[in-house]
Amino acid sequence: MLALTPDEWSALRLSLQVASVATLASLIPGLLVALLLARGSFRGRSLIDGLVHLPLILPPVVTGYLLLLAFGRRGLFGAALAEVGIVFAFRWTGAALACAVMGFPLMVRAMRLSIEAVDPKLEQAAATLGARPLAVFLIVTLPLALPGILAGSVLAFAKAMGEFGATITFVSNIPGETQTLPSAIYALTQAPGGESGAMRLTLISIVVSLAALLASEALALRAKRRLGA
């Protein structure tokens, strides 16, 4: 009952690979967007904020379809990318892209709240002493906001591990290539005698997601205590 089959191990490994790549690829863009929204004051800020959070309110299938239109082999950007050997549609890299898009709002929100919690007077004091903006960010803002940044990354990872709708729409459900844990669970529930396999993968998904949420909560609590000290 508890022993995973080779196909189930493949789905688990692929999920970890996709979630890791999606999280790492989103880290720098997410931090820049969070910093822009937390400290920036410009026209169109609300629009950018809305676009960032759009994947949270759109049906995941719609997000996957939009990705297919943009990055499919004949898509708006996909055709040009395919000519240089970069293909997303029906590849594991496309699954990573879909997971990154779906987890991006959670990452940005956690990072933004963490940056906003940093006292601007500390940044102003560092600037008064002659530190350049980049140095202020690296020396003052980043260390104080680091627990929240890590918490956002963990949340994005957990979201990527559980992403299904956008992924299956964009890259389908190909065993060994794009079949992640949620896709494998779906396939097992549709196959005769697949109940035990679906239960095994469900338990694994619960454990991984719960561990990620507990880690995120611990990091957020650490950040709150650190800023309150």
Side-chain angles (χ1 to χ4, degrees):
M1 173 64 184
L2 297 178
L4 297 180
T5 66
D7 287 341
E8 292 166 1
W9 273 115
S10 176
L12 176 58
R13 286 193 298 268
L14 184 61
S15 289
L16 293 171
Q17 176 182 338
V18 165
S20 299
V21 170
T23 302
L24 291 174
S26 302
L27 191 56
I28 299 301
L31 184 56
L32 292 176
V33 173
L35 183 62
L36 180 66
L37 294 176
R39 291 290 187 255
S41 180
F42 54 91
R43 298 179 67 178
R45 181 171 174 271
S46 297
L47 178 60
I48 293 178
D49 190 29
L51 290 174
V52 167
H53 289 86
L54 195 59
L56 286 180
I57 58 175
L58 281 177
V61 174
V62 174
T63 302
Y65 181 63
L66 292 176
L67 287 173
L68 190 60
L69 291 178
F71 295 100
R73 288 184 177 273
R74 298 182 180 180
L76 183 62
F77 308 109
L81 290 173
E83 292 182 0
V84 296
I86 301 175
V87 179
F88 289 106
F90 309 110
R91 301 282 181 87
W92 76 267
T93 50
L97 175 61
C99 290
V101 170
M102 295 302 295
F104 195 72
L106 297 176
M107 176 183 286
V108 170
R109 183 169 181 81
M111 291 180 174
R112 175 186 175 181
L113 292 175
S114 184
I115 293 172
E116 288 177 342
V118 177
D119 190 349
K121 293 180 180 179
L122 298 175
E123 298 170 333
Q124 294 170 4
T128 302
L129 294 174
R132 295 181 179 275
L134 181 59
V136 171
F137 174 74
L138 294 176
I139 297 173
V140 178
T141 311
L142 184 60
L144 291 175
L146 187 58
I149 293 171
L150 294 176
S153 300
V154 171
L155 282 175
F157 179 85
K159 175 63 176 176
M161 286 292 294
E163 168 51 35
F164 174 70
T167 302
I168 199 170
T169 304
F170 183 35
V171 297
S172 190
N173 186 11
I174 306 172
E177 181 65 36
T178 65
Q179 188 177 76
T180 56
L181 275 180
S183 302
I185 293 172
Y186 174 77
L188 286 170
T189 60
Q190 305 301 308
E195 292 83 3
S196 60
M199 179 58 68
R200 286 193 295 269
L201 296 184
T202 297
L203 291 175
I204 291 174
S205 298
I206 292 174
V207 170
V208 172
S209 299
L210 185 59
L213 289 174
L214 290 176
S216 175
E217 185 65 22
L219 290 168
L221 183 60
R222 180 182 175 186
K224 184 177 179 179
R225 289 175 176 175
R226 187 173 181 180
L227 292 173

